[in-house]
Amino acid sequence: MASALGPRGLVILDRDGVINRDSKTFVKSADEWIPLPGSIEAIASLSRAGFTVAIASNQSGLARGLFDRSALRAMHRKLRRLVGAAGGRVDRIVVCPHGPDDGCSCRKPLPGLLQRLARHYDAPLDGVPVIGDSGRDLEAARAAGATPILVRTGNGARTESSLGGQPGDVAVYDDLAAAAAVLVGE
Ligand SMILES: [Mg+2]
Ligand SMILES: [Zn+2]
């Protein structure tokens, strides 16, 4: 059975650098999982506006043995609890647990994680906003036929400069709060 979508459809978020602070040494525990300013409220506002909010995240720290599934679940419990307290809801969270050399089809920039969400909701991805901070998020979105959106948090400022002033099809916002405000207002 496919899950029903909210009236505004699906929005897909990257996690690290978009919702929470990223770390060069990986985010390995719920304690290390620290939301960026305004991100929790932004998710809640998307959800209250009728979007179904899903998350698609590379978590190669699993393959690298830096944390385990139970630590990952604890991070996501914290995320869901904070969003819930703000009056919103995070729906499906999908992760790629593989490393860069594992040859999987889900690690972004490949579109596998996004396609998994499309199957879960039995919904096409065209026009679905995919909000990320890295080039691989944008590439995955394009490969899946979704709409890439870049935020300047996390790796985003660096990613923006790599676009060389030619953002092309990519809308760029300061952070998730700014992107969400535009999506909610549309
Ligand atoms: Mg990221
Ligand atoms: Zn994978």
Side-chain angles (χ1 to χ4, degrees), residues 142-186:
R142 284 195 199 95
T147 300
I149 295 174
L150 178 65
V151 288
R152 295 189 176 100
T153 50
N155 293 319
R158 216 171 322 147
T159 304
E160 184 181 22
S161 46
S162 77
L163 301 175
Q166 305 245 314
D169 59 340
V170 183
V172 187
Y173 299 100
D174 278 348
D175 58 13
L176 183 57
V182 170
L183 290 172
V184 165
E186 270 172 0

Side-chain angles (χ1 to χ4, degrees), residues 14-18 22 108 132-134 136-137 154-155:
D14 176 44
R15 198 195 78 174
D16 299 330
V18 174
D22 203 356
K108 295 180 281 185
D133 67 316
S134 296
R136 61 191 178 193
D137 301 314
N155 293 319

